[in-house]
Amino acid sequence: MISRTTPPMENQSNQSRSFGSLLRWAITPPQAYVVYLLCVVLVGGASFYVGTLKPNRHPNLPPAPANAPMPK
């Protein structure tokens, strides 16, 4: 049975998707928790990945200078 008081559903695919609408969607409470956890996982994963990288060793470089003050 179709109600006469509510208008029929319209196709919403013709609305333009902008960064502002995505931001408004992302800061609503249910999505905000998921976005926050996703950011935490991405930052943690990137930090772990960068920490596992080995620095490049250049054999032609001289050793570091030893003229730094010694701790007492």
Side-chain angles (χ1 to χ4, degrees):
M1 178 177 204
I2 299 175
S3 173
R4 294 178 186 220
T5 59
T6 59
M9 293 183 74
E10 295 179 9
N11 187 3
Q12 296 180 352
S13 64
N14 60 358
Q15 293 179 350
S16 66
R17 305 244 189 258
S18 66
F19 182 73
S21 65
L22 179 66
L23 186 62
R24 259 184 266 115
W25 174 83
I27 62 174
T28 56
Q31 291 92 345
Y33 299 125
V34 174
V35 169
Y36 176 77
L37 289 175
L38 183 65
C39 289
V40 167
V41 168
L42 286 175
V43 168
S47 176
F48 178 78
Y49 174 71
V50 169
T52 60
L53 296 176
K54 293 185 178 184
N56 293 333
R57 303 285 180 184
H58 297 288
N60 296 335
L61 290 178
N67 60 0
M70 298 295 292
K72 292 183 180 184

